[in-house]
């Protein structure tokens, strides 16, 4: 496969190369792609050095698949140009997620929706991916009526600038006069403000959980409210998810369904202090679920604690898994010759 990684010099781009290598993705030609200012930089991959190239050069080389993690505006401008030459784009930005003509995919949940005509495929938001992977089997079994979600999101979700702000503050530096991504210090702090505020007083990050979850689970009737918080944690995003089901359930059946779900690992043994933590999820591709317990304040209520590495299953791994599905199901490779 001729593979373009667009946004090659970013935080997720770097993880993308790591995941492609670990998954032994069938690459015959690798194209690291980034903005003009990065062209010529060298990217190491499996012992070889690859120069970063620009967008048009990548298109001219006719990649079979292009995995984008370069922001929404870049994707809106360039993804259609890659698709025009028959290249399948898997995009990690929010640009295409809610476009009714585009598929929003967590492979273990809804990859079977993909067809050869899908040339731009949206990778969901990190906090959505880890949650819907755990919720999908429970929704099928018991029907989800309402979700109340609180997220505790690693600053790595905001990319290199946030890592730089955190590390500077950890060294004791005052970042207030720098071009920092957060309005306030993130070190030893929690900030209830991920992405921008909307007219309804929720943030874009919180509304992504609402809209993307409904689209992936295919059920607009699910009532959802969310609070997204930025926390000074490296290893991943954590989520407290309160679920009201339509049908009754048993905690044992919930645990059984989760344990049987590909990509999910149940860590739930409170007698031995076993539960998911970013410390344990870091650098892992799985989604970890624990603190499984009935919500005793309502009928058919359940509480879950869900943790995953936001740069891996929350971004790079999910995108690579989509590409793997496309290869396995021969939905890649119809690139138009130059
Ligand atoms: C964040 N989910 O955590 C967003 C984008 N990666 O900042």
């Amino acid at each position: 496969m001729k593979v373009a990684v667009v946004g090659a010099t970013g935080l997720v781009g770097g993880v993308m190369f790591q995941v492609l290598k670990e998954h032994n993705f069938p690459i015959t030609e690798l194209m690291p792609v980034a903005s003009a200012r990065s062209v010529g930089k060298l990217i190491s991959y499996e012992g070889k050095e690859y120069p970063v190239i620009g967008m048009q050069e990548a298109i001219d080389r006719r990649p079979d698949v292009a995995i984008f993690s370069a922001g929404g505006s870049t994707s809106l401008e360039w993804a259609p140009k890659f698709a025009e030459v028959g290249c399948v784009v898997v995009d990690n930005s929010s640009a295409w997620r809610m476009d009714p003509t585009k598929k929003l995919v967590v492979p273990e949940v809804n990859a079977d929706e993909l067809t050869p005509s899908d040339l731009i495929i949206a990778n969901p938001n990190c906090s959505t991916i880890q949650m819907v992977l755990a919720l999908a089997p429970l929704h099928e079994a018991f029907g989800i009526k309402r979700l109340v979600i609180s997220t505790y999101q690693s600053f790595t979700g905001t990319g290199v600038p946030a890592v730089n702000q955190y590390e500077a503050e950890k060294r004791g530096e005052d970042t207030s006069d720098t071009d920092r991504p957060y309005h306030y210090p993130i070190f030893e702090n929690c900030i209830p403000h991920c992405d921008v505020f909307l007219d309804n007083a929720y943030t874009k990050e919180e509304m992504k959980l609402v809209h993307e979850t409904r689209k992936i689970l295919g059920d607009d009737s699910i009532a959802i409210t969310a609070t997204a918080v930025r926390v000074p944690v490296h290893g991943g995003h954590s989520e407290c998810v309160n679920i009201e089901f339509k049908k009754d359930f048993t905690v044992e059946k919930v645990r059984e369904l989760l344990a049987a779900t590909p990509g999910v690992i149940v860590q739930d043994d409170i007698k031995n202090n076993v539960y998911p933590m970013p410390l344990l999820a870091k650098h892992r591709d799985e989604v970890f679920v624990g603190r499984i317990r009935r919500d005793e304040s309502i009928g058919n209520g359940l509480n879950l604690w869900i943790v995953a590495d936001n740069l891996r299953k929350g971004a790079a791994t999910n995108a690579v898994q989509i590409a793997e599905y496309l290869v396995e199901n021969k939905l890649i490779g119809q690139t138009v010759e130059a």
Side-chain angles (χ1 to χ4, degrees):
M1 286 289 136
K2 295 162 70 175
V3 178
V5 176
V6 180
T9 57
L11 206 52
V12 172
V15 178
M16 205 77 82
F17 290 113
Q18 181 64 28
V19 172
L20 285 166
K21 177 172 176 287
E22 288 174 12
H23 285 225
N24 197 26
F25 193 79
I27 296 176
T28 54
E29 181 181 345
L30 182 65
M31 305 170 208
V33 188
S35 61
R37 68 172 179 276
S38 296
V39 168
K41 282 183 182 172
L42 294 177
I43 297 283
S44 296
Y45 184 79
E46 297 209 309
K48 282 182 67 180
E49 301 283 295
Y50 295 82
V52 172
I53 61 176
M55 295 287 190
Q56 192 54 53
E57 181 178 351
I59 291 170
D60 295 343
R61 289 197 202 176
R62 296 292 189 271
D64 297 300
V65 59
I67 306 179
F68 272 58
S69 192
S73 55
T74 298
S75 183
L76 283 171
E77 179 183 358
W78 287 97
K81 294 174 181 171
F82 278 79
E84 274 165 23
V85 297
C87 171
V88 178
V89 173
V90 181
D91 178 46
N92 195 45
S93 82
S94 57
W96 304 99
R97 290 175 185 157
M98 298 316 295
D99 180 322
T101 68
K102 301 295 185 284
K103 305 285 172 51
L104 182 63
V105 176
V106 177
E108 300 92 333
V109 177
N110 63 339
D112 56 357
E113 292 177 7
L114 292 169
T115 71
S117 60
D118 292 312
L119 290 179
I120 297 177
I121 302 163
N123 207 41
N125 193 36
C126 38
S127 45
T128 304
I129 292 172
Q130 65 186 70
M131 186 180 75
V132 295
L133 181 55
L135 293 187
L138 306 184
H139 183 50
E140 188 176 343
F142 310 114
I144 295 174
K145 184 176 176 185
R146 181 173 185 253
L147 295 172
V148 180
I149 308 152
S150 297
T151 74
Y152 308 79
Q153 301 187 206
S154 168
F155 56 84
T156 59
T158 316
V160 172
V163 174
N164 293 339
Q165 178 181 342
Y166 172 85
E167 296 297 341
E169 290 163 2
K170 188 177 176 185
R171 293 191 298 268
E173 295 171 22
D174 176 0
T175 61
S176 52
D177 291 334
T178 66
D179 182 26
R180 66 188 185 187
Y182 302 133
H183 299 285
Y184 302 101
I186 183 60
F187 185 65
E188 295 182 332
N189 191 23
C190 289
I191 304 173
H193 180 183
C194 297
D195 208 327
V196 297
F197 281 109
L198 301 169
D199 293 344
N200 67 352
Y202 283 78
T203 62
K204 263 190 176 178
E205 191 76 0
E206 290 158 351
M207 296 313 295
K208 287 174 187 174
L209 279 163
V210 176
H211 300 308
E212 293 178 21
T213 301
R214 289 174 177 160
K215 181 169 178 178
I216 296 166
L217 296 182
D219 187 342
D220 286 346
S221 75
I222 301 174
I224 305 174
T225 188
T227 303
V229 180
R230 190 69 65 188
V231 295
V233 165
H234 251 291
H237 289 351
S238 305
E239 295 169 341
C240 174
V241 183
N242 176 272
I243 310 162
E244 183 180 0
F245 291 114
K246 294 173 184 170
K247 300 176 190 169
D248 199 3
F249 64 93
T250 65
V251 170
E252 291 68 31
K253 185 63 179 172
V254 166
R255 198 172 278 122
E256 180 191 312
L257 288 170
L258 290 169
T261 302
V264 171
I265 292 181
V266 174
Q267 291 176 325
D268 192 36
D269 176 4
I270 54 177
K271 289 187 177 63
N272 295 295
N273 298 331
V274 174
Y275 31 70
M277 295 181 287
L279 197 64
L280 304 176
K282 190 173 183 180
H283 302 321
R284 297 285 300 270
D285 284 338
E286 298 88 351
V287 170
F288 300 87
V289 185
R291 298 299 319 279
I292 303 169
R293 64 204 189 282
R294 188 175 282 278
D295 172 357
E296 295 170 346
S297 69
I298 57 168
N300 303 336
L302 178 75
N303 286 316
L304 297 179
W305 176 251
I306 304 170
V307 179
D309 184 327
N310 56 295
L311 300 178
R312 291 184 71 103
K313 183 55 182 173
T317 303
N318 198 73
V320 170
Q321 288 171 330
I322 292 171
E324 287 171 333
Y325 179 89
L326 295 171
V327 171
E328 286 155 20
N329 292 275
K330 297 181 175 39
L331 297 174
I332 279 186
Q334 289 75 31
T335 306
V336 173
E337 284 312 310

